[in-house]
Amino acid sequence: MSRILEPTPAAIREAALALRQGRLVAFPTETVYGLGGIATDPEAIARIYRAKNRPAHNPLIVHVADLAAAAALTALDARARAVAEAFWPGPLTLVLPRRTGCAIAANATAGHDTLAVRVPAHPVARALLRATDLPVAAPSANPSGLVSPTTAQHVAADLGEAVDIVLDGGPCPVGVESTVLDLSGPTPCILRPGGLDRETLERLVGPLAEGGDAKAPRSPGQLASHYAPRLPVRLDATSVAPDEALLAFGPRPLEGALTVRNLSPSGDPAEAARNLFAMLRELDRSGARAIAVMPIPAHGLGEAVRDRLRRAAAPRIRSA
Ligand code: TXA
Ligand code: MG
């Protein structure tokens, strides 16, 4: 069984040592919990893919303590540096050209010549990265294709033995994964909407193209079905059946469902993001036939919430 530890200085030291010995540690970030392994150790990376049952062609995000550590691994031009200075630490991942001779294990990047890097803001993640003093690859700490974890209990329930230590930092304050911004080519493009909203990014970099095409994903994690609970999900519900669970949004939840969770009674997309994955998990266990979801506006973090729900509702066929 995995051990859930309070993130005391002693526990952080122990977790950093476990990482350096090639073992896996789950830790909180402001977005979701990550399943960490040392990014320069191909065996630790292989362990991450096995623990998640993740397809080998889907590369991992490498987490570092600061911009200087990111610059040692990737080629940051002036534009990338400006974006990083504005939004790191924070819920933003940058896809950048990897430096020649960069020590990241080949299996962590699935053979790509780009590298996804992130400087997280969560104090436990930052303390762990400083104590480890090596880049840490960390996908979300859930089995591939299922709902991401936003508490230490979610991680322990999902991954059990596969992870040695889970650092418990409480519920994640953002609740959806980082925004993945591709700055490796001439046109910046969002590969995955996430915890840093488009409006804020566009104020700095100008209008952003959409890259998350499910048919030919530039970000291989963006396959149609993902973030999926066990139950079928029905979007934009305007009525609900008595044997359905309702994921509501706003001050007037539909009436008549078997069970209800309200993402945000006040209609705030950021609150909806924070509640999304935990509420999907709760409704999944409600005994309902399906989960009906009320419409959610697309502004702010609403774009990421809608993206995750669209993937949760997609047909459950994993494309090749
Ligand atoms: O918030 C987050 O980003 C969390 C926390 C733990 O940091 N991590 C996370 O990792 O969501 P994961 O592995 O679940 O999602 C990483 C996404 C995938 O869609 C993957 O395909 C994409 O980033 N990605 C990684 N490296 C890439 C690269 N070189 N080029 C394009 N996409 C890449
Ligand atoms: Mg994930």
Side-chain angles (χ1 to χ4, degrees):
M1 261 325 270
S2 50
R3 284 183 303 141
I4 300 184
L5 301 182
E6 288 298 312
T8 60
I12 301 272
R13 277 196 301 277
E14 186 184 342
L17 183 64
L19 282 171
R20 295 187 70 107
Q21 290 172 341
R23 291 185 279 145
L24 304 186
V25 170
F27 60 96
T29 78
E30 68 275 32
T31 58
V32 300
Y33 276 72
L35 177 63
I38 295 296
T40 52
D41 175 353
E43 282 169 31
I45 299 302
R47 233 167 258 139
I48 292 178
Y49 279 89
R50 272 201 304 278
K52 283 183 61 85
N53 192 21
R54 181 181 177 105
H57 62 77
N58 190 4
L60 306 179
I61 295 174
V62 170
H63 297 64
V64 290
D66 51 35
L67 178 54
L73 303 172
T74 57
L76 287 118
D77 59 11
R79 181 184 63 187
R81 205 166 270 278
V83 172
E85 277 166 2
F87 301 117
W88 279 350
L92 175 69
T93 294
L94 297 181
V95 173
L96 297 164
R98 61 184 277 171
R99 275 192 189 286
T100 34
C102 146
I104 301 300
N107 54 348
T109 58
H112 288 243
D113 51 10
T114 54
L115 186 68
V117 277
R118 164 161 191 235
V119 178
H122 195 291
V124 175
R126 293 177 65 71
L128 180 66
L129 289 168
R130 278 195 304 267
T132 306
D133 201 27
L134 283 172
V136 173
S140 51
N142 54 291
S144 188
L146 301 186
V147 178
S148 298
T150 52
T151 68
Q153 289 70 32
H154 294 162
V155 178
D158 283 359
L159 294 179
E161 339 255 270
V163 50
D164 288 301
I165 295 174
V166 184
L167 290 173
D168 187 354
C172 298
V174 174
V176 291
E177 295 84 350
S178 60
T179 300
V180 179
L181 179 66
D182 187 349
L183 291 179
S184 67
T187 316
C189 118
I190 291 185
L191 300 180
R192 176 178 74 182
L196 183 66
D197 64 83
R198 171 186 297 274
E199 295 88 331
T200 304
L201 260 174
E202 287 186 336
R203 248 176 268 135
L204 185 72
V205 294
L208 283 165
E210 192 66 62
D213 177 355
K215 287 207 194 70
R218 279 174 72 184
S219 204
Q222 295 304 80
L223 299 173
S225 174
H226 212 93
Y227 313 101
R230 201 172 38 81
L231 294 180
V233 174
R234 183 167 72 80
L235 299 182
D236 296 320
T238 50
S239 66
V240 66
D243 60 353
E244 284 183 314
L246 178 68
L247 192 58
F249 180 85
R252 283 176 297 281
L254 297 169
E255 282 173 24
L258 184 70
T259 329
V260 182
R261 291 290 181 282
N262 196 333
L263 287 170
S264 173
S266 69
D268 171 12
E271 184 183 24
R274 198 149 62 233
N275 286 326
L276 177 67
F277 290 139
M279 287 185 174
L280 274 177
R281 284 167 181 261
E282 286 169 15
L283 294 182
D284 212 18
R285 292 191 307 262
S286 63
R289 172 177 59 80
I291 301 172
V293 185
M294 286 176 66
I296 291 153
H299 62 85
L301 292 198
E303 185 184 3
V305 172
R306 286 162 57 96
D307 170 81
R308 304 306 186 267
L309 286 167
R310 204 165 43 241
R311 292 176 200 285
R316 308 288 166 83
I317 316 152
R318 302 296 302 274
S319 46

